[in-house]
Structure formats: C-alpha cells, structure tokens
Amino acid sequence: MLTPPVNLRDVVLDFRDLTKVYPTPTGEYVVLENLQLQIKKEEFVSIIGHSGCGKTTLLTMIAGLNDISRGEILLNEFPITGPGPDRGVIFQSPSLFPWMTAFENMMLGVDQVFPHGTRRQREDIVKYYLDKVGLSQWMHRRANELSQGMQQRVGIARAFALKPKILLLDEPFGMLDSLTRAELQDVLLEVWDKEKITAIQITHDVDEAIFLADRVIMMTSGPRAQIGDILEIGFERPRVRKEILHHPDYYRYREHLIGFLEH
Amino acid sequence: MGQHLTESPVAPAPKAPLAGLGRYLPARAKVGRQLPGMARTLGISLASMAVFLLLWQMSASYLYGVEASARIERTVREQGPEAGAQMEACIASGDVSCKPNTLPFPSEVLHAAGLLLADHREISAKKAEFNTETAELNVVRAEQGLDPIVYTGRPSFVDQIGTSLKTVAVGFLISLLIAVPIGIIIGLNDTLRIAFNWMIQVFKPVSPVVWLLLVFMIVKTLTLGSDSDTSFLISCISVGLCSMWATLVNTSLGVSSINKDYLNVARVLNLGIGKKIFKVILPSAIPVIFTGMRITVSVAWMVLIAIELLAQSPGLGSFVWEEFQNGGSDSNAKIIVAMFVIGLVGFLLDRIMFWVQQRVSFEKAVG
C-alpha cells in the first residue's frame, strides 16, 4: 500500500472503494475504479494527472455535485450524499454572480452559513476575508467589473469565509496568466497557513502542486483511473516561494512528478 | 438543451453596420468617415430624410395627377366636355370640393398636424371651462353620494394618444403578469416546458384580430348583466395576449440556459428555492428576459392600433378608422399624421425599454 499508515482519528476524508461509472450508449464507462485514499486533518493535498483521468470527477463527487456510483466517501466518518457549505469549492472559473458586488457575493454564502449571527458579525466576516485577499478597496465593485484574478481572489475569500471542513480547489488558477497565478498562490497559502483547512486541489501544474501541497497524489490515466503514486513534500510551512525554488529537494520532487506524468 | 423546442431565442441582433456597402460607393464617400461619429450619423440621417421627403413629394404629385385626370375624364364622359373643363379649373384652383382623394403631400400632412394641435388646444380649453363650471356642482354631488359629472365631449388627437398609451401599458402589464411567471416555471421544469411547447407554437402566430374575437367572446359572457363599457378591457387583454409570446419564450430560455457554474454555487451554498430563483436564476436571465420584453412592447404597440380599430375602444386606432370613414378633405393627411405619431411613440417606447434594460441588467444591451 502506498498510503502511509495514518491515525484514523486524524482522517477527515476517507475514500472507500470509490468507483464512478458513466453510462454510455456503448456500455459503461468506468472513470474511477476502487479508489482508496485517506486525507488527514490540516493536510493540503494536490491531485495531478492527465486530462480525462477523472480528477475533476473525483472533486465534484466530494463536493456532492456528482453522484457516487459505488463505494463511499466519508467526511468526518459520515458518508457524503449531496452538496453543502461544509465543503467550500473554489471553481476553475471564478463563478461569482456578475450582477452582485464582491461583498454581496460573499454575503450570500455567509448569510447561509451563519444565519444566527447578527448582520454586523456577518459583515465583519466578509470584510475580514476580503481584506485578507487584498480586496478591501474593491469590495463594492460589481463582480463583472473585476479582473479574472480579482474575481478568483473573491472566490478564495468566499470559500474560507464559510469555514468549511474541507476546501476543494478545481484548478483554481488554470485560467490565469502565470504572474497572476503566482500572486494568487501566495494569497491562497497566506490565508491557508492561518486557517489550516484541509484542502484538496486539482492541478495540471507540477510547480504549483509542489509549492502548495503536503502530499501530491498522481493519478493514472483513465479509464479505470487509479492512484499511481504519492509524493510527500517535506517543505516547512510557512513556505516562501524563493526559498523553495532554491531548495535542493525541489528539483528531485519535480523530476519525480514529471517522470510519472511522462509515462 | 435539445429540449428547448420553442422558437429560437430572440437574441439581440448583432451590430451589422453598413460598412460592407462602403466599397460599392464612390471613393468620395470616404470623406464622410472623417467626420466625427455623431455629426456623420446626423448628416446621413438628415440627407436620407430629405431623399425620403423628395420621393414622397414625387409619388404624391404623380398620384395626384393620375387621380385628377381620371376625374376629369369621368366628368367629360358622363357630363360632357363643358363640365369637364369646369372640373379641370376647379381642381387647378385647389378647391376642397373637387380635390383628388389620394396620398397627401408632405405639406398637407404638416398642415394637418397643425390643425390637430389647434383642435387639441380648443378642446382642452373647453374641457377646462367645463371643469371649472361643474366643480361646485360636483362637490355637492359628492356630498349626496352621486358620481361627479365629467366632460364627455369629443376627445382630441392628443387625448387619443394618451388613451392608446394607457391601453398598451395595461396590456403590457397583463402580458408580463402572464408570461414572466409561466416562463420561469417552464424554464425550470423540462416536463412543463414540453407540455407548454405545443401551445406556444400554435398560439404565437395567431393574428391579433382573432385574439380580439376570442377575448370578446369570453369577456362578453363574464360581464353579462353589467352595463359598464368593456371595450377598454377587451382591447388591453387582447394586446396582452398577442404580445406576451416573446417575453414567454425568452424568459423560459433565459431561465433554462443559466450558466451551470452559477447553479453549482447555489447548490454548494445550499440556497433555498426562493433565494435560488430571486438571487441567482432571475438576475442571470434578466438580459434575455428584457430582450423579450422589448419585443413585447413593440408588438403590443403595433397590434394595438388594429385592435382598437376593431374593438371600437377609443385611441389612435379608432381615430385612424374614423378619419378613413368620414372621408373629409384632410382625412388622408390626418391619417398620415397618425402614422408618424404611432411610429414615433413606438420608437420612444423601445428607447424607454432599452434604458430600463441598461439599468437593471449586468450585461450591456445591444441598442
């Protein structure tokens, strides 16, 4: 077994014989088959693999947006049956409502998750997280007046503000240019280092996976995708981009991942 | 969304400037492009108006000639050459009694517009006078629990415009009250969309006249025994039924074609059905719904005239019909005045809708 033994009490997310099958006119298409994986509390996991290997399917099943065909996913020992705000999702496209301001977009979620707090308390939560992602000045701008990068900052702030048990990131920086992407990775890590919310991120980007994750999970290509390999990233947190780029282990990790992806 | 069998979306038309025509025009036309945009648009519009007036003047004078010579010929044939010569002289003098009845000249139409305005001022003055005279009496009547006496004289042209606008406004409201809720419901539900689809396809092309007759049948029965005037009710309901289809189709399309990411966000946040509809689905569908509503307003205004004409409810439609029926010497000119007024009001209504659309929608509408 590739997964190192973990203390069961520390397991937030437990995949048991997880299988996803899409019916097609020519028969069943098995995307994932008997996937076993455990994710620990306060762990940041990156999932990397080729397109079509079922990474996004896996993530949407955790989010509850996609049905589970066989097996189960346990979140704090309870099986996932549908979507809910206890799993914060940062989508690939920013997915803000363009007719609302950044502030209103966040309030919609915060109102939903903290219905018992006073209005003032909820507003403070929104303002705190918008400040954390550097958007205090822009919070009353409509979402469609913000750049892609800024919109995704709001997406990050929204996900954290809802205090989810687990954070799901679906290639959140895939649509951004490389400068903005690096900037947002820093923003994400900065907030994450404070909140330590267990996170699962899907990415195509080897460097992103190394920089962000404690563990990188490599998926084999579909159909019947499996976990091919797992790489532990031993960098200390908080991480600083420059130091990591000059760390002797960095290129070893990088070669390991690229070596896997090229086969 | 192959299920969406209703008519293709009435999307905002792409901006198709006449630039392509440029290469067929002589090179000198390029000078026009160097003028600032506004001045250029204004210049071109004024020039085309001049061409339009010229063509109108020429057509009118041609038709006038045809009508005049036919009249002279007929007089010669029926009453002899002497009477024919008299008729010719009469026509040449421009006397009202023997004026050829055909397409009026632009100048006549302008004159008729002036007459209609003067008429309006006269009637307003009469009305004001009447109101001051009856004011005291009405106070007494109100104390006795009687209805006040109101002016019941002939309405002026401007009053008719007001009546028509009122009818179209009520008709538009009726169409919104029917089309938007149904559009949302069938946009959300595939089964209902299929259930409603045949109805939309079959009833949408039905002529306003037939709608009017249908509404007439129903309203007549429902108001049996009451002696109130139902013509206003009939015409605004008919206007609503004729014009609601674009809003209905666009609302259901806008709702059913919502971005799936938005729905996923709503699901992740566990939004309730009310919040989901009013905070997510409707705002995202607003641009498409408003495009439908703009079409509804212009259709409502267009069918209104025909409906008023048939329902004998007051308004521009009955004005046009009465002028056509009474065949006065300036009737044709007045009809053309009404035509321009109808066109201009329709244009203004569309601009208002466009303005409202810009206000409420997060996307920029195409004007």
Side-chain angles (χ1 to χ4, degrees):
Chain A
M1 197 62 211
L2 292 157
T3 324
V6 277
N7 186 338
L8 268 180
R9 274 187 313 175
D10 283 345
V11 172
V12 175
L13 209 56
D14 192 357
F15 301 77
R16 293 187 177 169
D17 301 321
L18 184 67
T19 301
K20 179 68 189 181
V21 175
Y22 285 115
T24 67
T26 53
E28 289 193 334
Y29 179 83
V30 183
V31 187
L32 298 168
E33 195 168 44
N34 295 331
L35 191 109
Q36 318 283 348
L37 180 67
Q38 290 176 325
I39 289 166
K40 285 172 289 181
K41 209 176 165 205
E42 300 192 351
E43 191 179 21
F44 197 121
V45 170
S46 282
I47 300 178
I48 200 163
H50 291 290
S51 300
C53 74
K55 305 183 299 263
T56 298
T57 305
L58 181 63
L59 200 83
T60 51
M61 281 196 288
I62 306 170
L65 296 169
N66 205 338
D67 292 334
I68 294 165
S69 306
R70 285 191 286 277
E72 58 185 355
I73 307 174
L74 301 179
L75 174 64
N76 290 338
E77 296 173 25
F78 289 101
I80 286 170
T81 52
D86 56 344
R87 280 146 288 153
V89 186
I90 303 178
F91 295 92
Q92 180 169 21
S93 64
S95 301
L96 301 182
F97 300 125
W99 52 90
M100 294 182 187
T101 64
F103 183 82
E104 287 165 345
N105 264 290
M106 288 191 57
M107 272 311 265
L108 188 67
V110 172
D111 283 345
Q112 206 61 22
V113 178
F114 306 109
H116 302 301
T118 63
R119 171 134 196 111
R120 182 67 198 273
Q121 284 170 330
R122 281 176 274 163
E123 283 179 359
D124 284 346
I125 294 175
V126 171
K127 283 178 188 158
Y128 173 81
Y129 283 99
L130 279 172
D131 184 50
K132 281 287 154 220
V133 297
L135 284 181
S136 312
Q137 294 176 34
W138 305 88
M139 64 181 172
H140 295 301
R141 285 296 183 93
R142 277 219 307 226
N144 60 348
E145 294 169 346
L146 301 176
S147 69
Q148 280 264 341
M150 286 164 128
Q151 289 187 37
Q152 199 55 292
R153 281 169 191 253
V154 181
I156 294 171
R158 176 170 64 183
F160 278 102
L162 304 182
K163 297 268 181 236
K165 296 190 181 106
I166 188 163
L167 203 60
L168 305 170
L169 302 102
D170 183 9
E171 290 184 51
F173 312 126
M175 287 163 93
L176 305 173
D177 62 272
S178 56
L179 276 179
T180 315
R181 189 184 306 169
E183 227 172 70
L184 283 196
Q185 286 165 0
D186 291 338
V187 169
L188 175 69
L189 263 198
E190 199 185 311
V191 185
W192 191 83
D193 279 330
K194 284 209 185 65
E195 312 268 333
K196 293 280 185 199
I197 294 170
T198 312
I200 302 178
Q201 183 214 19
I202 281 174
T203 184
H204 275 121
D205 184 339
V206 171
D207 298 299
E208 182 173 286
I210 300 170
F211 181 53
L212 295 177
D214 298 309
R215 238 179 346 148
V216 181
I217 292 169
M218 289 157 267
M219 305 261 299
T220 60
S221 292
R224 296 175 193 278
Q226 280 286 340
I227 293 173
D229 197 358
I230 294 180
L231 178 67
E232 300 269 345
I233 309 286
F235 297 134
E236 291 289 307
R237 289 185 190 271
R239 293 176 180 175
V240 179
R241 182 179 302 273
K242 241 185 187 166
E243 287 170 13
I244 285 183
L245 286 176
H246 293 105
H247 198 286
D249 284 346
Y250 182 79
Y251 288 94
R252 195 169 53 79
Y253 291 145
R254 207 165 185 275
E255 260 166 48
H256 187 137
L257 290 177
I258 290 173
F260 175 86
L261 290 175
E262 279 178 353
H263 285 295
Chain B
M1 299 297 294
Q3 299 291 3
H4 212 280
L5 302 170
T6 47
E7 193 204 24
S8 60
V10 200
K15 271 187 187 160
L18 296 170
L21 289 173
R23 60 199 156 104
Y24 301 113
L25 295 174
R28 226 182 313 159
K30 279 183 184 161
V31 177
R33 274 181 223 161
Q34 285 155 11
L35 287 167
M38 280 285 273
R40 178 165 174 263
T41 311
L42 189 69
I44 294 175
S45 305
L46 285 177
S48 68
M49 275 179 210
V51 172
F52 174 80
L53 283 175
L54 185 72
L55 283 175
W56 178 4
Q57 177 75 27
M58 280 160 59
S59 322
S61 85
Y62 169 72
L63 291 170
Y64 185 91
V66 171
E67 189 77 28
S69 56
R71 189 170 282 204
I72 294 163
E73 251 173 58
R74 198 172 63 234
T75 318
V76 170
R77 199 170 57 241
E78 287 168 3
Q79 296 166 32
E82 205 171 305
Q86 260 174 21
M87 177 58 84
E88 198 173 349
C90 176
I91 288 174
S93 74
D95 194 87
V96 176
S97 63
C98 48
K99 189 167 159 283
N101 181 18
T102 182
L103 177 70
F105 288 97
S107 56
E108 285 179 85
V109 172
L110 199 64
H111 180 64
L115 284 181
L116 285 172
L117 274 180
D119 184 48
H120 170 64
R121 276 195 292 273
E122 198 179 308
I123 288 177
S124 313
K126 262 193 212 161
K127 210 169 171 179
E129 196 186 335
F130 179 85
N131 283 342
T132 46
E133 273 174 15
T134 55
E136 278 173 42
L137 183 58
N138 275 340
V139 172
V140 178
R141 282 178 71 94
E143 280 165 6
Q144 292 168 344
L146 293 168
D147 289 336
I149 302 171
V150 289
Y151 184 78
T152 51
R154 180 172 64 87
S156 77
F157 181 63
V158 180
D159 296 337
Q160 306 271 42
I161 300 175
T163 313
S164 283
L165 281 174
K166 209 165 74 188
T167 315
V168 109
V170 177
F172 178 61
L173 275 183
I174 291 173
S175 75
L176 290 194
L177 288 179
I178 299 173
V180 173
I182 294 182
I184 292 170
I185 291 166
I186 66 178
L188 290 172
N189 186 314
D190 246 15
T191 315
L192 283 175
R193 184 154 64 241
I194 296 166
F196 267 83
N197 188 47
W198 68 268
M199 210 186 285
I200 295 172
Q201 302 295 334
V202 170
F203 289 148
K204 190 161 53 92
V206 171
S207 143
V209 176
V210 183
W211 279 114
L212 173 80
L213 298 178
L214 177 83
V215 173
F216 178 76
M217 293 172 212
I218 296 167
V219 171
K220 191 193 68 168
T221 311
L222 289 180
T223 56
L224 266 184
S226 116
D227 56 354
S228 57
D229 182 20
T230 54
S231 67
F232 177 75
L233 193 63
I234 292 174
S235 49
C236 57
I237 293 177
S238 315
V239 167
L241 288 180
C242 290
S243 62
M244 69 178 198
W245 305 99
T247 303
L248 180 58
V249 168
N250 271 32
T251 306
S252 81
L253 179 94
V255 169
S256 65
S257 62
I258 178 176
N259 187 336
K260 291 286 167 282
D261 283 346
Y262 297 161
L263 286 183
N264 279 341
V265 172
R267 287 178 67 192
V268 167
L269 297 180
N270 262 347
L271 294 185
I273 185 76
K275 262 195 176 173
K276 194 167 150 186
I277 291 177
F278 288 103
K279 295 252 175 178
V280 179
I281 293 175
L282 270 187
S284 94
I286 280 255
V288 186
I289 295 178
F290 256 83
T291 308
M293 274 162 56
R294 264 174 85 187
I295 296 169
T296 289
V297 167
S298 35
V299 170
W301 184 245
M302 210 157 71
V303 300
L304 172 82
I305 306 302
I307 281 174
E308 279 179 347
L309 193 151
L310 276 166
Q312 296 178 335
S313 82
L316 281 171
S318 54
F319 171 84
V320 169
W321 190 240
E322 276 160 24
E323 285 302 330
F324 181 70
Q325 294 286 36
N326 79 22
S329 63
D330 53 0
S331 283
N332 287 358
K334 281 181 180 168
I335 290 171
I336 305 289
V337 173
M339 185 183 124
F340 279 107
V341 168
I342 291 165
L344 280 173
V345 172
F347 172 67
L348 280 180
L349 288 178
D350 187 62
R351 285 289 99 183
I352 292 170
M353 287 303 292
F354 175 69
W355 182 81
V356 177
Q357 183 177 17
Q358 296 283 50
R359 297 277 116 180
V360 299
S361 150
F362 62 97
E363 276 176 11
K364 288 278 162 269
V366 179

